[in-house]
Amino acid sequence: MQQSSTVTRYLIFFQYLGTKYSGVMKAPAHQLLQGVQNHLENAVRRLKPVNEVSLSISSRTDTGVHALCNSAHLDIQRRGDKPPFTEQVLTDALNFFLKPEPIRITRVYCVQNDFHARYRAISRTYVYRLATGVRRHAELPITEKDLCWTLWDTELNIDAMREAGAVFQGTHDFSTFRALSSDAPFKNPVKTMELVQVQPGLSFSQRHFHRDIQFWELTFKSSEDGWDIGCSWPG
């Protein structure tokens, strides 16, 4: 009987447009709206590994939320005496099998077998984008579709928003903001929010055409695990 090659663990970085997905985490097979993880694992299965395919994702996002840089680790054991995939070959192969989904593998690294993407993550940053002065849906530039939350008002009380953000910054008990779940009592609600920032945003369309629309970015950053922050943009 031919022996299989050794198991190789990979750290993958990926990005996606989350509009059509239930979130980044795997959804049940019977569910109409699938998660990004479903498509990633299906792409890995196309490589025909010996082992069962299972990704461990570092950071969660909810329905409709996009990611510029998320990460996960996975193990791949090839058949027979085939050598492990090189980082570039695995990147190209996964991107090929992910077509036409709006999911892209940006980087792949071989890592130690005890590496864990979630517990070794250094920090997590979430950015919420607002567009002010959009009185009708048709006024939002097509290049910003599903990428921001639109507001009719042309002005925001930025000072008040920054003052409120300062309340969240630091170490606090965030029990009030937790979703109810069976494992909630076992998770520590005390977390440290290292950065809460409100600043003008950037937009290609604003610079070249839609100069009457102002974009703002709300940025939240923490080095701790256990956050479940997400926001879906209305259509």
Side-chain angles (χ1 to χ4, degrees), residues 14-212:
F14 58 99
Q15 53 186 208
Y16 49 88
L17 296 176
T19 306
K20 60 179 289 188
Y21 304 118
S22 62
V24 69
M25 306 304 290
K26 183 190 298 186
H30 65 271
Q31 184 171 302
L32 181 62
L33 208 59
Q34 293 289 283
V36 174
Q37 184 177 356
N38 294 87
H39 295 281
L40 288 171
E41 291 186 352
N42 287 339
V44 176
R45 291 188 184 97
R46 297 284 296 275
L47 302 174
K48 302 186 184 304
V50 175
N51 60 304
E52 182 178 350
V53 175
S54 178
L55 269 73
S56 294
I57 297 177
S58 68
S59 305
R60 294 184 59 177
T61 56
D62 292 337
T63 304
V65 179
H66 315 304
L68 291 175
C69 183
N70 205 338
S71 61
H73 76 259
L74 73 153
D75 295 332
I76 296 181
Q77 183 178 13
R78 303 193 68 189
R79 297 181 182 278
D81 58 354
K82 294 181 178 179
F85 291 110
T86 65
E87 297 163 347
Q88 189 59 55
V89 166
L90 184 56
T91 301
D92 294 341
L94 291 178
N95 280 326
F96 177 81
F97 289 127
L98 282 167
K99 295 177 182 179
E101 297 296 328
I103 305 171
R104 177 175 297 172
I105 308 298
T106 57
R107 289 171 290 164
V108 171
Y109 297 100
C110 293
V111 293
Q112 298 293 326
N113 287 340
D114 60 351
F115 179 89
H116 199 288
R118 177 181 175 184
Y119 301 126
R120 293 289 296 275
I122 297 175
S123 66
R124 294 166 176 83
T125 301
Y126 295 83
V127 179
Y128 300 81
R129 300 180 71 244
L130 306 177
T132 61
V134 182
R135 299 175 183 272
R136 294 180 293 110
H137 180 71
E139 293 179 352
L140 183 68
I142 191 66
T143 53
E144 295 293 340
K145 183 179 182 295
D146 299 322
L147 296 178
C148 59
W149 190 286
T150 58
L151 297 175
W152 185 86
D153 293 332
T154 57
E155 294 185 5
L156 296 175
N157 191 334
I158 300 302
D159 290 338
M161 294 174 67
R162 287 172 174 162
E163 183 178 351
V167 175
F168 286 91
Q169 196 160 323
T171 302
H172 307 285
D173 186 330
F174 285 90
S175 295
T176 307
F177 299 89
R178 294 197 299 177
L180 294 177
S181 63
S182 58
D183 60 348
F186 304 101
K187 292 184 177 180
N188 187 356
V190 178
K191 303 291 181 183
T192 299
M193 187 76 72
E194 296 167 355
L195 175 69
V196 179
Q197 188 175 66
V198 181
Q199 61 184 1
L202 299 175
S203 171
F204 173 85
S205 59
Q206 180 193 34
R207 179 179 178 183
H208 293 279
F209 186 70
H210 296 270
R211 297 182 177 87
D212 53 334

